[in-house]
Amino acid sequence: MNDSSSDDEGAHTGAPKTESVVKAPAVNVTFADIGVMPQLCEACDKLGFKTPTEIQRESIPWALQGRDVIGLAQTGSGKTAAFSLPILQALWNNPSPLFACVMAPTRELAYQISETIEALGSGIGARCAVIVGGMDLISQQIALSKKPHIVVCTPGRLQDHLENTKGFSLRTLKYLVMDEADRLLDMDFGPKIDQILKVIPRERNTFLFSATMTTKVAKLQRASLSNPVKIEVSTKYSTVDKLLQYYMFFPFKRKDCYLVWLLNEMAGQSAIVFARTCNEVLRIGLLLRNLGIEAIPLHGQLAMDKRLGALNKFKSGARNVLVATDVASRGLDIPAVDLVVNFDIPSFSKDYIHRVGRTARAGRSGRAISFVTQYDVELLQRIEQVIGKKLDEFPGEKDAILLLQERVNEAQRMAMLELKDIQSSRGKGNKKRGRGDDDKQISLSEAKKLSKGGRRKN
């Protein structure tokens, strides 16, 4: 690595200078080689992290030197350990409560980050608290009163606690992490993050990790980082080499039929099917179940316990098919996903990158198949332009596929009736209770049990 400037001029100005790193070639580098202490090296080994990934190799030494870091890397590149290991090492050297805060765009990702940090920090006694929406505030207040070392949160719920939880503040904060920063800002968390930045110590280390450097992320960098080092592992939108990418072209009215055929062809493999809306996720899940395919839905309108439960059934292999909105597209590390199906092609090309990044992770291979109808041709062309490659057509026997149409039509009718019943009962429940199922709350301890349910025991 090259440090292009040794002085710290501009470290506390309004527009800090950013150093870019010249990447050194990897020659059997270990975690110990990049400065990680023995206790954490041992934890990495237990988790199967044999050698540092590129983003870890380039960013960890700078973070251990106390520098702010901007890490730009594609999905599945090991960003969580890249910021967790320096924080845990600094915590070991200077233990104090409420030492670090990690902000994530989704609740599921927050739980996953917490699990990784607790696993890496188990040997040094690191304690985490997860603070996200959809959960019981009182249980979270109790967890915060126990002074955890690291708070993993979504920005909205963190802001709620900063304003309303007596005795809670981040005055002792030494590290702030904004993970999936581009997604954080796409979800309009910007104003909440601005409010949080005003009440936390200026003398801190800040790590900003993102898949892309958007204009919003650049603005956030200027507002929150001092003399940062920029580690750019992926300079453009890209997908991993071991991912096989295909499309299937057919009329819009045949989408369900093609999905059923494809999942039957891939029977026994694990698949995530991405749809655009919560309603469509629910409809597809009902349709597939009516045809004997055990699919489980995951979307933002589900109560948090059901969202975690759905994830864990899929992670543990109890269900082979997960039907999801983009709530499942960012950051989630689900082992051994064989297939990603874009039932609805995403409107934004970068969302395609994140969706297909759920497969072909950690050196494994995987397949992604996008459904293209007469309405989606332009979206497909945009994606091909962004990733710099043409997708191949996935072979399908049209006559065999259309033979399924009659059974699919019947399953569609049943699914629509079930969907109407669900919507009707939900509407009645809302009137009776004055709030929807989405507001159902569970305790933090229950959620943590659920979130760990899919993890294999040694």
Side-chain angles (χ1 to χ4, degrees):
M1 289 182 293
N2 256 350
D3 189 348
S4 56
S5 169
S6 60
D7 65 273
D8 285 340
E9 68 177 358
H12 299 285
T13 62
K17 178 179 58 196
T18 303
E19 292 176 26
S20 290
V21 167
V22 178
K23 291 189 280 292
V27 187
N28 297 324
V29 176
T30 66
F31 283 100
D33 292 335
I34 59 174
V36 177
M37 67 185 197
Q39 294 93 328
L40 294 176
C41 287
E42 188 180 330
C44 288
D45 192 54
K46 284 180 181 175
L47 291 174
F49 302 168
K50 301 301 180 188
T51 57
T53 65
E54 192 173 359
I55 187 66
Q56 293 163 3
R57 194 172 66 245
E58 302 300 337
S59 64
I60 287 173
W62 291 107
L64 291 174
Q65 290 176 33
R67 295 288 293 275
D68 285 3
V69 172
I70 303 165
L72 301 178
Q74 65 189 15
T75 185
S77 57
K79 294 194 287 285
T80 304
F83 62 73
S84 300
L85 289 169
I87 290 172
L88 290 168
Q89 190 150 323
L91 178 65
W92 173 260
N93 293 328
N94 182 24
S96 70
L98 296 170
F99 186 81
C101 174
V102 181
M103 288 194 279
T106 67
R107 301 168 186 179
E108 289 84 359
L109 181 54
Y111 276 103
Q112 181 178 290
I113 291 168
S114 174
E115 284 184 23
T116 301
I117 293 173
E118 287 188 338
L120 287 170
S122 60
I124 64 171
R127 299 190 314 277
C128 278
V130 182
I131 306 300
V132 297
M135 306 294 289
D136 177 39
L137 272 167
I138 304 299
S139 295
Q140 291 180 354
Q141 288 170 342
I142 292 168
L144 290 173
S145 72
K146 293 177 180 177
K147 304 293 183 187
H149 299 114
I150 300 165
V151 173
V152 187
C153 62
T154 48
R157 181 51 64 96
L158 178 65
Q159 179 63 17
D160 285 347
H161 282 289
L162 286 169
E163 290 178 351
N164 302 313
T165 297
K166 190 175 179 182
F168 172 63
S169 78
L170 295 175
R171 283 193 298 271
T172 59
L173 193 73
K174 300 293 189 296
Y175 285 84
L176 174 69
V177 180
M178 287 171 276
D179 192 23
E180 301 285 357
D182 51 346
R183 182 69 169 155
L184 274 172
L185 298 169
D186 283 348
M187 295 173 72
D188 296 325
F189 280 129
K192 295 285 184 189
I193 293 172
D194 288 342
Q195 291 171 353
I196 292 163
L197 290 174
K198 287 174 184 173
V199 298
I200 61 176
R202 289 193 176 189
E203 294 298 318
R204 65 172 191 273
N205 284 107
T206 304
F207 301 153
L208 191 154
F209 281 81
S210 181
T212 54
M213 194 65 175
T214 64
T215 51
K216 287 182 179 178
V217 174
K219 184 180 176 184
L220 182 60
Q221 169 213 324
R222 290 193 295 273
S224 59
L225 279 75
S226 297
N227 192 28
V229 177
K230 184 175 175 183
I231 316 292
E232 198 161 9
V233 169
S234 177
T235 55
K236 63 183 181 68
Y237 293 108
S238 61
T239 52
V240 295
D241 295 333
K242 290 194 175 183
L243 174 66
L244 303 174
Q245 300 174 75
Y246 303 95
Y247 73 90
M248 298 187 79
F249 184 69
F250 46 77
F252 178 81
K253 65 182 180 180
R254 305 288 187 206
K255 281 180 90 169
D256 287 349
C257 199
Y258 272 72
L259 178 63
V260 172
W261 174 83
L262 181 62
L263 293 178
N264 279 327
E265 286 291 300
M266 304 290 178
Q269 297 186 30
S270 59
I272 302 180
V273 179
F274 281 104
R276 192 167 288 125
T277 66
C278 301
N279 230 38
E280 189 68 342
V281 163
L282 191 52
R283 186 194 70 81
I284 294 168
L286 293 168
L287 168 82
L288 294 176
R289 286 184 199 176
N290 288 332
L291 289 164
I293 298 171
E294 289 294 321
I296 191 159
L298 175 65
H299 56 78
Q301 290 181 3
L302 283 173
M304 195 62 216
D305 56 342
K306 290 180 180 175
R307 285 162 69 168
L308 291 171
L311 259 182
N312 290 319
K313 281 181 182 175
F314 185 66
K315 280 185 178 183
S316 65
R319 294 286 187 277
N320 275 342
V321 179
L322 181 74
V323 187
T325 59
D326 279 319
V327 76
S329 71
R330 275 296 188 120
L332 295 181
D333 186 19
I334 303 168
V337 175
D338 301 305
L339 173 69
V340 167
V341 180
N342 286 304
F343 184 84
D344 295 320
I345 286 197
S347 304
F348 300 103
S349 301
K350 68 177 179 180
D351 290 334
Y352 172 85
I353 306 288
H354 290 291
R355 286 182 181 186
V356 301
R358 297 313 98 210
T359 186
R361 296 175 73 85
R364 290 185 288 263
S365 60
R367 279 191 279 198
I369 301 173
S370 297
F371 285 2
V372 182
T373 72
Q374 64 269 37
Y375 308 114
D376 305 311
V377 175
E378 188 180 340
L379 291 174
L380 176 67
Q381 289 170 340
R382 273 191 230 155
I383 288 167
E384 289 177 332
Q385 187 176 2
V386 164
I387 65 174
K389 65 172 74 172
K390 290 278 185 186
L391 271 60
D392 297 320
E393 185 166 9
F394 189 79
E397 300 168 22
K398 188 176 178 183
D399 292 340
I401 295 169
L402 294 181
L403 282 175
L404 295 168
Q405 190 64 63
E406 193 173 332
R407 284 178 60 210
V408 170
N409 288 344
E410 181 59 29
Q412 284 173 330
R413 283 192 288 272
M414 291 170 63
M416 290 308 295
L417 288 171
E418 290 172 83
L419 194 57
K420 284 178 183 175
D421 285 345
I422 290 168
Q423 289 169 338
S424 173
S425 62
R426 190 179 287 168
K428 287 174 185 174
N430 286 349
K431 284 179 184 176
K432 189 175 180 181
R433 292 192 309 273
R435 64 181 191 180
D437 288 343
D438 301 348
D439 293 324
K440 183 180 177 183
Q441 295 179 328
I442 58 175
S443 74
L444 189 64
S445 59
E446 288 172 318
K448 290 193 84 169
K449 285 175 189 172
L450 280 164
S451 75
K452 292 175 181 175
R455 198 193 287 173
R456 189 180 297 162
K457 293 180 180 177
N458 292 327

